[in-house]
Amino acid sequence: MKYKVRIEPIGVEVSCDGNQTILDACLRNGVWVPHACTHGTCATCKSRIIEGEVDFGLASNFALMDFEREEGYVLLCTAKPRTNLVIEADVEVEEGIEFYPVKDFTGKVVEILDCARDTRKIQIEIENDKIFYLAGQYIQLYIPGTEQNRAYSIASRPLKDGNSTIELHIKRVPGGLGSGYVFEELKEGDKVRFAGPFGRFIFRKNFDNPILFFGWWNWTCPN
């Protein structure tokens, strides 16, 4: 069942399926609300329900405390509508920056390369589409055989006319679901599904202040 969700203070209304998170519905309709982890733990997407009822989902009790729930606050990345809603959110509007709607993509893995210790470069060719994104954003890679996904930053440079291929640099995490799939199962020629773009840690061309970047190298001399 679909519900109407109106986002204040901008007054934009989006359609949200009962099995869809409010955050997902907003991003797919070009309404860029704050978000980061997308898994209910960081509280970046915390917003207030003005009208209506929701399923809170798997929101962490630390990110969304009981008294906040009683006051009508939700985490948009886990909350799903149970009625039509009116929510109050801190919508991202920045002059000179166009945030692109989130979409689902299917692609073929055309290259797998071990580019550093415990780090693998994955080149994905998108089928019959292009992805538009901002430098610094990420995608969510769906893990086959599960209902879960894992977030990976896009390493390739965004192109003005959209990218037909993207590159990911994925580090091996002991016991990790995503890296276990990438390092132990994924092969060149495999089809993959992902959604994107996500994230607001982006390069801002209109930012006038100095920018300082840090890099960290962990290297051990071989015996």
Side-chain angles (χ1 to χ4, degrees), residues 105-145:
F105 297 92
T106 301
K108 181 174 72 172
V109 176
V110 294
E111 182 182 40
I112 297 177
L113 177 67
D114 290 330
C115 58
R117 187 178 64 182
D118 289 331
T119 303
R120 185 160 284 185
K121 181 179 81 170
I122 309 296
Q123 193 85 13
I124 300 173
E125 185 178 87
I126 301 171
E127 292 186 343
N128 306 315
D129 207 345
K130 291 184 177 181
I131 183 172
F132 291 82
Y133 60 94
L134 302 173
Q137 292 193 295
Y138 65 91
I139 59 101
Q140 291 183 340
L141 181 69
Y142 296 108
I143 309 302

Side-chain angles (χ1 to χ4, degrees), residues 30-86:
V31 180
W32 208 255
V33 293
H35 63 283
C37 75
T38 70
H39 290 96
T41 57
C42 74
T44 302
C45 64
K46 187 181 296 183
S47 302
R48 188 168 68 90
I49 300 296
I50 300 174
E51 295 179 13
E53 298 179 0
V54 301
D55 176 350
F56 289 94
L58 298 176
S60 162
N61 288 330
F62 296 99
L64 187 68
M65 298 185 179
D66 289 340
F67 77 88
E68 292 178 305
R69 299 173 192 237
E70 293 173 0
E71 292 175 355
Y73 287 92
V74 298
L75 300 186
L76 298 182
C77 68
T78 62
K80 299 175 182 179
R82 289 295 171 260
T83 65
N84 293 333
L85 299 172
V86 178

